[in-house]
Amino acid sequence: MYTSADLRKGLKITIDNEPYIITAFDFAKPGKGQALYRTKMKNMITGSTLDRTYRSGETFEPASLEDRKMTYLYKEDDHYCFMDTETFEQVHVSESAMGDAVNYLIDNLPVDILLFREKAIGVEVPNFVNLRVTQTDPWVKGDTSGSDSKPATVETGYVLRVPPFIEEGELITIDTRTGEYSTRVKG
């Protein structure tokens, strides 16, 4: 169990049987009375925020979160299927819990699944993924209109800006933290 003295930014606790992460924290000690801990928390399932003030001595249950290494298998309706690489157990994650990860999912991509009480609540993809460009406008030599990028669609359907020399069928590396083009894959 945590006490109010343990509260800090980034701490994950359970409130009303749901996991929350503390996003902002402030300590106040009035001249008279107990110390106050003002917190701003984000629900890790719904994304809603919560402002609460606690007095010293209050206790909190740690959020029982688990990170598991899994591999992406396939999409079925509005759920994505992943397989645990150690136990071969399959886990289905709803599209709402996926976030931006859906833009980068290709077959057999290794990911980290965040579980709360054996229920998947989040997916973390690698920082860089290689995806094939399926559609982009051809580059016309001598085109110096000032535009140093053009839109391109990759195999997952994600659209991003790429340099003009990138052509259809090429493999590119995308930074999943920003969603931007990183480099062209050689080979």
Side-chain angles (χ1 to χ4, degrees), residues 110-171:
V111 297
D112 287 329
I113 303 280
L114 183 64
L115 300 166
F116 175 69
R117 296 184 178 156
E118 298 300 316
K119 182 181 184 294
I121 61 169
V123 176
E124 192 173 310
V125 293
N127 289 342
F128 296 95
V129 294
N130 296 336
L131 296 174
R132 193 161 305 282
V133 176
T134 57
Q135 194 280 317
T136 189
D137 296 330
W139 182 39
V140 179
K141 190 171 183 173
D143 182 7
T144 56
S145 62
S147 172
D148 59 348
S149 65
K150 62 182 182 178
T153 306
V154 291
E155 58 192 298
T156 61
Y158 180 61
V159 178
L160 71 155
R161 309 271 320 156
V162 297
F165 56 81
I166 298 295
E167 298 173 6
E168 281 185 27
E170 284 193 83
L171 206 56

Side-chain angles (χ1 to χ4, degrees), residues 18-61:
E18 293 203 343
Y20 283 84
I21 184 166
I22 297 175
T23 57
F25 170 77
D26 186 39
F27 172 75
K29 173 78 172 106
K32 190 170 145 183
Q34 288 184 313
L36 299 174
Y37 300 87
R38 289 186 193 89
T39 62
K40 197 173 261 185
M41 299 175 276
K42 181 179 172 192
N43 186 311
M44 296 177 72
I45 297 173
T46 64
S48 62
T49 57
L50 185 67
D51 290 328
R52 289 249 175 111
T53 302
Y54 298 102
R55 298 186 183 281
S56 60
E58 291 190 45
T59 59
F60 308 93
E61 181 187 341

Side-chain angles (χ1 to χ4, degrees), residues 72 74-81 92-96 98 102 105:
Y72 172 66
Y74 59 89
K75 181 181 182 200
E76 183 180 311
D77 300 325
D78 63 340
H79 286 81
Y80 292 81
C81 185
H92 293 273
V93 181
S94 68
E95 197 158 357
S96 59
M98 293 292 295
V102 297
L105 285 181

Side-chain angles (χ1 to χ4, degrees), residues 9-25:
K9 187 175 178 179
L11 185 71
K12 296 171 179 114
I13 60 175
T14 302
I15 297 174
D16 301 328
N17 289 319
E18 293 203 343
Y20 283 84
I21 184 166
I22 297 175
T23 57
F25 170 77

Side-chain angles (χ1 to χ4, degrees), residues 100 104 125-128 174-180:
D100 289 339
Y104 314 109
V125 293
N127 289 342
F128 296 95
I174 299 172
D175 186 337
T176 60
R177 297 165 295 190
T178 62
E180 296 174 355

